[in-house]
Amino acid sequence: MTSCGKDWAVGLIAAIKDSKNHVISSDIAVVIPDKYPKAKHHYLVLPKGDIPDIFHELYLLAQNVIEVKRCHMDDFQIGFHAQPSMQRLHLHVISKDFVSDCLKTKKHWASFNTELFLPYQDAYARLEMEGCIKPLAKERVQELGGSELICNQCEFVAKNMPDLKRHLYDHWMEKQ
């Protein structure tokens, strides 16, 4: 938790209540832009309340926001953080470009490009088979947070975040 305390962790609940934040919504969930996007497109799909089974609805809204933004599913990853830092379950819908000024640290990168990011299909399968998703061991989280900066689009290994960001930008420019 940061020095912002609990206010930071519950910030998503306030964002749900303000319809100006909604990209799209349904009766039970909303899609909002991530306040600190780590890619060109980065959205959060959040349930409006605490309900027992929302996985299917969240995934449908994730697909819908990609369609609304006129993008392609193959250019996105959809999933959950294995070690959530915010209160309220939320599903990330994030483009694979990772071109963003808010992508600043190895921790940011690792949270979407290692086991710290749990793809929707994997989370759903685990819940179906095991009934729960167990948190990663603290040691594993630390190990993943310090992993090499390997490009998510090729085998390039960056020396540091600025090096990785330049490389990712080059990938993005090739697609423009």
Side-chain angles (χ1 to χ4, degrees):
M1 182 123 10
T2 69
S3 60
C4 297
K6 287 185 180 180
D7 291 344
W8 175 77
V10 297
L12 293 178
I13 295 170
I16 293 168
K17 294 177 182 176
D18 186 352
S19 63
K20 289 183 286 189
N21 294 323
H22 301 178
V23 177
I24 55 176
S25 67
S26 72
D27 290 342
I28 63 172
V30 300
V31 178
I32 64 171
D34 191 291
K35 190 172 182 179
Y36 303 102
K38 304 300 185 283
K40 288 290 181 188
H41 296 276
H42 188 177
Y43 309 98
L44 304 178
V45 183
L46 303 119
K48 291 180 179 176
D50 292 325
I51 53 179
D53 183 12
I54 192 163
F55 277 93
H56 187 66
E57 179 78 19
L58 291 178
Y59 190 69
L60 289 176
L61 281 173
Q63 291 175 310
N64 192 236
V65 74
I66 293 169
E67 187 177 302
V68 165
K69 294 295 181 176
R70 301 183 195 287
C71 297
H72 296 93
M73 284 289 290
D74 292 345
D75 296 330
F76 284 79
Q77 48 191 55
I78 299 170
F80 303 93
H81 285 306
Q83 300 292 119
S85 57
M86 305 287 288
Q87 288 183 12
R88 184 63 57 107
L89 172 74
H90 59 281
L91 180 66
H92 286 266
V93 181
I94 185 165
S95 56
K96 295 176 184 176
D97 58 75
F98 289 96
V99 172
S100 169
D101 291 339
C102 294
L103 180 73
K104 296 179 180 182
T105 66
K106 274 182 114 173
K107 182 180 176 183
H108 291 158
W109 180 254
S111 70
F112 291 100
N113 293 285
T114 68
E115 286 175 57
L116 293 172
F117 189 76
L118 185 58
Y120 168 83
Q121 289 84 354
D122 295 351
Y124 192 84
R126 275 199 216 169
L127 286 173
E128 287 284 304
M129 289 175 47
E130 301 169 21
C132 68
I133 297 174
K134 295 178 181 149
L136 297 172
K138 186 177 180 180
E139 298 79 24
R140 183 67 179 143
V141 171
Q142 289 174 339
E143 180 185 321
L144 291 167
S147 348
E148 287 186 304
L149 296 169
I150 302 170
C151 178
N152 65 339
Q153 300 168 57
C154 70
E155 295 182 20
F156 175 76
V157 179
K159 292 177 266 180
N160 52 41
M161 280 305 294
D163 190 31
L164 177 63
K165 289 180 71 160
R166 279 189 297 275
H167 179 80
L168 293 169
Y169 184 77
D170 289 344
H171 276 299
W172 183 71
M173 288 300 293
E174 288 171 8
K175 294 179 181 179
Q176 299 310 303

